[in-house]
Amino acid sequence: MANRQRYEAGQDLLSPNRNFAPLTSEVDEQGLLNVGGCKLSSLAKRYGTPLYVLDETTIRAACRAYKDALIKHYPGPSLALYASKANSSLALSCVVASEGLGLDAVSEGELLTALKGGVPTNQIVLHGNNKSDQELLLAYENGIRIVVDNQHDIDRLSQLVKPGKRAAELMLRFTPGIECHTHEYIRTGHLDSKFGFDLDQLESILIQLKGESWARLSGLHAHIGSQIFELEPHKDLTGVMVDALILAREIGHPIEDLNLGGGLGIRYLESDDPPSIEDWVKVISNGVKVACESKNIDLPRLLCEPGRSLIANAGITIYTLGSRKEIPGLRTYVSVDGGMSDNPRPITYQSSYTACLVDRPFDRAAEKVTIAGKHCESGDILLKDLSLPFSKSGEFFAVFGTGAYNSSMGSNYNRIPRPAGILVKDGQSDLIQRREQPEDLLQYDILPVRLIELG
Ligand SMILES: Cc1ncc(COP(=O)(O)O)c(C=O)c1O
């Protein structure tokens, strides 16, 4: 091979979510796959497999795509918040904060990761449909905005914020009657969702909160789903949100922020064609702007909370191929050294991915194989019927698009340790998550003396 060349044909460098591979993916002069200027097989040898690799250039490009599009298309103030449930770590908190993004957290663990990663407290919001007192207090004491999800939040906060103390900064989450979890969407009066207040409860909750001296409600929030390829649902959402904003201001709340959640889809497969980050931002920006202008009200600050579209395509997981089982006329299974514990999406959502051999990414496919995980579960299949060159045990194998909802949704099923995670940039690799060791998994086990004595 004469020169280095881009791995993914026709990459959209301005919108990472429209590529299955990280923006820096190239095949070098020896025909080997590189990301962030690093040879993936060298990384696999150095750090072991399975290995989560995140490309910093791609993450920063996605952050800038959101920021720049908001500045370009929205005339008022704006802020993109990284939905850290997609992938939470100190390093990621630090990278998104350095790009000027805020962060959304849903637990004490995600809050601590954001705080210790350097995200300014006034740019963090706390979500959750069953927040503990500890989580509420951690947020309140640090001046972090709390997204009130239900009456339980209101009841607990009214007890936790002591009379005469600073009011808690709040947003209110409601279900806007737009349901969108697949490529279809519906508008309904009531949604069967565990999150947020129903639209027809909104007025009474707003009135209730107006009477609470411990509460300062300054924002409204809605999130309609994930991996969404259509723009129409978010356009509809802007209208519902601006109506809610008018209502809340009429009741007397100083609403400054409208938070439209996340949801923009990404390219997992070559056939996927999601909108660009700019097109998505343009739709929500125009929607809010036009609705506010037509009702003659001041523009709120526009917030959004992208998770998947910010981080998924920066990620690759490298595995080592192991055993092979051929069932003549039916199927060939090739197993990897990870699976559902490092990527639960295929078994949970039947999600599909793009993948290749790390050191032979352009070799012609010669057989169809099913890539199986190593867990004791028949459904632990990472990729079904993948066209691949004939492969050997010991070869490295890369799965693209694993930056979101893999590490964060992983488990220790079968007592399999979690993989290491690294961040790559300009030929440098940094360990951002140490590989768990089997002994680590025993650290919270206790063997009662009584059982030892029983022998
Ligand atoms: C409240 C909230 N905000 C943001 C997100 C991020 O969504 P996505 O990863 O689809 O952008 C989610 C995901 O479930 C969510 O629940």
Side-chain angles (χ1 to χ4, degrees):
M1 190 160 306
N3 294 310
R4 297 173 85 88
Q5 63 185 106
R6 283 194 191 288
Y7 171 65
E8 185 174 357
Q11 267 192 327
D12 181 345
L13 297 177
L14 296 177
S15 196
N17 70 313
R18 288 178 43 75
N19 313 285
F20 61 78
L23 298 183
T24 61
S25 308
E26 342 177 272
V27 177
D28 67 17
E29 297 79 356
Q30 287 89 43
L32 314 177
L33 186 58
N34 286 234
V35 171
C38 300
K39 224 182 277 274
L40 289 187
S41 47
S42 303
L43 297 175
K45 284 176 199 152
R46 177 169 172 197
Y47 297 100
T49 60
L51 181 66
Y52 292 128
V53 181
L54 283 173
D55 179 42
E56 190 174 329
T57 302
T58 306
I59 304 167
R60 290 189 184 277
C63 292
R64 285 173 201 168
Y66 271 102
K67 237 177 95 171
D68 293 349
L70 281 166
I71 289 168
K72 182 169 165 192
H73 296 288
Y74 191 67
S78 59
L79 180 67
L81 307 159
Y82 168 51
S84 71
K85 69 207 75 185
N87 193 337
S88 172
S89 69
L90 291 175
L92 279 179
S93 302
C94 184
V95 169
V96 298
S98 73
E99 291 294 334
L101 268 67
L103 184 145
D104 117 37
V106 293
S107 67
E108 196 180 349
E110 285 183 4
L111 273 182
L112 285 176
T113 310
L115 290 170
K116 297 212 159 145
V119 184
T121 52
N122 64 358
Q123 299 202 352
I124 302 176
V125 298
L126 175 67
H127 280 286
N129 63 303
N130 192 21
K131 303 174 191 77
S132 66
D133 285 3
Q134 204 162 315
E135 287 164 340
L136 291 168
L137 276 175
L138 180 64
Y140 171 70
E141 281 162 5
N142 281 283
I144 289 169
R145 201 121 61 115
I146 297 167
V147 184
V148 168
D149 196 274
N150 48 46
Q151 188 62 44
H152 184 254
D153 277 345
I154 297 177
D155 295 344
R156 293 313 306 141
L157 280 166
S158 68
Q159 297 296 310
L160 294 168
V161 181
K162 299 295 171 223
K165 295 286 179 201
R166 162 178 63 79
E169 279 294 324
L170 306 179
M171 298 190 90
L172 187 73
R173 179 171 184 169
F174 67 98
T175 48
I178 297 167
E179 189 161 28
C180 195
H181 294 292
T182 63
H183 295 192
E184 298 289 314
Y185 83 105
I186 51 168
R187 298 214 43 184
T188 63
H190 299 269
L191 280 190
D192 182 4
S193 166
K194 69 172 183 172
F195 296 110
F197 290 95
D198 221 49
L199 199 48
D200 62 9
Q201 293 174 291
L202 188 62
E203 185 168 359
S204 61
I205 295 297
L206 288 169
I207 292 168
Q208 181 191 347
L209 278 175
K210 188 61 202 136
E212 304 283 7
S213 58
W214 56 266
R216 182 177 183 275
L217 180 68
S218 56
L220 297 172
H221 173 277
H223 168 80
I224 59 174
S226 204
Q227 185 60 357
I228 302 170
F229 279 34
E230 296 159 300
L231 293 170
E232 200 66 15
H234 278 96
K235 187 169 169 224
D236 285 0
L237 176 63
T238 59
V240 180
M241 295 288 283
V242 170
D243 286 346
L245 167 74
I246 293 168
L247 177 67
R249 281 184 181 166
E250 276 170 5
I251 290 171
H253 293 288
I255 304 291
E256 294 142 18
D257 290 352
L258 274 194
N259 183 340
L260 273 70
L264 173 61
I266 68 143
R267 185 182 209 190
Y268 283 108
L269 302 176
E270 283 200 42
S271 54
D272 290 335
D273 189 20
S276 68
I277 290 173
E278 178 169 354
D279 284 349
W280 186 85
V281 169
K282 191 172 166 186
V283 161
I284 61 165
S285 299
N286 283 344
V288 172
K289 188 178 80 153
V290 169
C292 288
E293 278 168 2
S294 75
K295 311 264 162 94
N296 207 13
I297 57 165
D298 290 345
L299 285 181
R301 184 166 69 148
L302 179 57
L303 309 187
C304 59
E305 286 171 346
R308 190 189 310 271
S309 56
L310 207 97
I311 195 72
N313 304 99
I316 287 185
T317 307
I318 310 176
Y319 299 96
T320 304
L321 298 181
S323 65
R324 168 185 280 258
K325 174 178 176 180
E326 290 178 16
I327 310 173
L330 198 59
R331 191 179 298 282
T332 297
Y333 289 97
V334 173
S335 294
V336 293
D337 52 353
M340 60 184 282
S341 63
D342 59 76
N343 184 357
R345 294 189 67 255
I347 196 166
T348 315
Y349 308 119
Q350 290 74 52
S351 323
S352 305
Y353 285 89
T354 303
C356 73
L357 293 176
V358 162
D359 283 345
R360 297 190 288 134
F362 283 157
D363 275 19
R364 190 161 328 127
E367 61 173 349
K368 272 216 162 101
V369 294
T370 287
I371 303 293
K374 65 176 274 146
H375 303 79
C376 198
E377 185 72 36
S378 301
D380 180 24
I381 301 294
L382 278 185
L383 291 105
K384 250 192 186 148
D385 297 330
L386 176 71
S387 296
L388 214 61
F390 288 122
S391 58
K392 295 185 298 288
S393 170
E395 277 195 86
F396 297 127
F397 177 75
V399 179
F400 296 95
T402 60
Y405 304 113
N406 274 227
S407 165
S408 60
M409 292 178 92
S411 73
N412 287 124
Y413 180 50
N414 290 154
R415 289 232 146 166
I416 292 179
R418 287 168 199 269
I422 60 170
L423 189 67
V424 292
K425 185 166 192 294
D426 300 333
Q428 189 182 329
S429 63
D430 293 294
L431 190 63
I432 59 168
Q433 226 128 32
R434 258 182 287 130
R435 182 176 300 284
E436 245 173 10
Q437 300 303 317
E439 301 76 41
D440 295 334
L441 304 180
L442 303 185
Q443 68 181 320
Y444 294 111
D445 278 25
I446 296 170
L447 191 53
V449 176
R450 183 172 64 76
L451 295 183
I452 301 172
E453 284 167 354
L454 281 178

